[in-house]
Amino acid sequence: MGFKKFFLGEPMPDKNDPKYRERYEREVAAGRRFADAVGISWLARKIHTAACHNKTLFLVVAFGIVLACFTFNVVTMVKVFNRSNSKGSNAVEQVDRAMQHRNGDAPVQ
């Protein structure tokens, strides 16, 4: 294997390329068998059917989940930021303080 192939790799195979067609079909068939065995395809079918019948409700639920995750992340970042400002110390100082507390030494300021 040459250095050029090592760093750049192979070109991405196209599913219509006859060289890779059989491999692509085998991988797709294996993926479908796995999805059927695990039940992912059944779940996707049920979600798709429900979404087709209740489009607005599906969009509200989907975007509600996204909005809830975003809000949770923002709230967590604000809590961490406020907590870090209240202590006013870095990680080294916190470890020193914990070791002094464990050893029973008087805290050094």
Side-chain angles (χ1 to χ4, degrees), residues 5-45:
K5 189 173 182 181
F6 178 75
F7 286 112
L8 299 178
E10 290 184 33
M12 193 69 173
D14 184 19
K15 69 177 183 179
N16 296 323
D17 188 358
K19 181 178 176 184
Y20 296 106
R21 183 77 176 163
E22 182 183 329
R23 176 180 168 192
Y24 171 77
E25 290 173 354
R26 272 188 290 124
E27 289 177 356
V28 167
R32 286 186 182 137
R33 282 193 310 270
F34 174 77
D36 287 339
V38 175
I40 296 172
S41 58
W42 176 84
L43 180 65
R45 202 170 20 256

Side-chain angles (χ1 to χ4, degrees), residues 54-71:
N54 306 308
K55 292 177 183 169
T56 306
L57 178 64
F58 177 75
L59 289 174
V60 167
V61 169
F63 285 111
I65 291 171
V66 170
L67 187 62
C69 290
F70 178 75
T71 305

Side-chain angles (χ1 to χ4, degrees), residues 49-93:
T49 304
C52 287
H53 290 300
N54 306 308
K55 292 177 183 169
T56 306
L57 178 64
F58 177 75
L59 289 174
V60 167
V61 169
F63 285 111
I65 291 171
V66 170
L67 187 62
C69 290
F70 178 75
T71 305
F72 177 74
N73 285 337
V74 169
V75 168
T76 304
M77 286 190 321
V78 168
K79 282 183 181 178
V80 168
F81 180 75
N82 287 339
R83 189 175 297 153
S84 68
N85 284 345
S86 66
K87 290 184 180 178
S89 62
N90 60 24
V92 174
E93 292 171 352

